[in-house]
Amino acid sequence: MTRRDDIVAEARSWIGTPYRHQASLKGAGCDCLGLIRGVWRAVHGAEPERPPAYAPDWAEAGGAETLAEAAGRHLLEIAPAEARPGDVLLFRWAPGHPAKHAGILSVQATQRESARFIHAYEGQGALETRLVPWWARRLAFAYRFPSVE
């Protein structure tokens, strides 16, 4: 069994990793998918599949839910409202567009604290961000790692 705390701790260990398109090496570089891949390797072992090369505009060019379909092959889809720390979140940049950004929920919202998630994006690298309304409106899918306690 994988503990949620272990997933969140591993994701946090990537904070500060610079943004590098298609990379997945803690401390050296990652994009949002590379962060998820790196956390998978740390908590589950070898990656179940390698992503093909992708351009920064891959989702807009293809229009398919490629990221969500890949997540569904290896993670357990849940309703976004059911997401808990350690779950993977997928976001759309705009309504009607495919999801193309990923992160890991690190803190669940409470009456005293906002939800937070860990992700990586260009110009920022890997960081932990509050799940403010701007992000919440873009949340499209949520997934759970297999064998999570």
Side-chain angles (χ1 to χ4, degrees):
M1 292 297 264
T2 304
R3 292 182 22 197
R4 292 176 176 284
D5 291 347
D6 295 335
I7 295 168
V8 173
E10 179 59 29
R12 281 188 173 132
S13 76
W14 285 70
I15 292 174
T17 297
Y19 181 87
R20 298 283 183 269
H21 178 66
Q22 291 189 293
S24 183
L25 186 59
K26 188 187 325 185
C30 70
D31 60 10
C32 65
L33 179 57
L35 170 67
I36 305 302
R37 292 173 50 216
V39 171
W40 175 283
R41 290 191 306 267
V43 301
H44 283 290
E47 294 177 55
E49 73 178 85
R50 298 286 298 199
Y54 52 94
D57 68 345
W58 63 268
E60 294 84 352
E65 288 288 3
T66 306
L67 185 58
E69 290 167 6
R73 288 193 293 273
H74 309 291
L75 303 169
L76 308 170
E77 187 170 2
I78 58 172
E82 294 175 13
R84 294 174 43 207
D87 291 338
V88 175
L89 308 176
L90 299 186
F91 300 88
R92 302 181 194 284
W93 287 125
H97 287 214
K100 70 174 278 185
H101 187 65
I104 294 178
L105 189 66
S106 54
V107 175
Q108 197 160 7
T110 65
Q111 288 182 334
R112 302 179 76 192
E113 187 171 10
S114 298
R116 294 192 314 244
F117 70 109
I118 299 159
H119 60 134
Y121 64 97
E122 192 168 9
Q124 297 295 314
L127 71 160
E128 191 165 7
T129 304
R130 287 181 45 233
L131 189 61
V132 295
W134 190 92
W135 284 109
R137 283 191 305 274
R138 288 159 175 79
L139 181 57
F141 299 95
Y143 298 87
R144 188 156 289 150
F145 278 89
S147 304
V148 169
E149 289 181 349

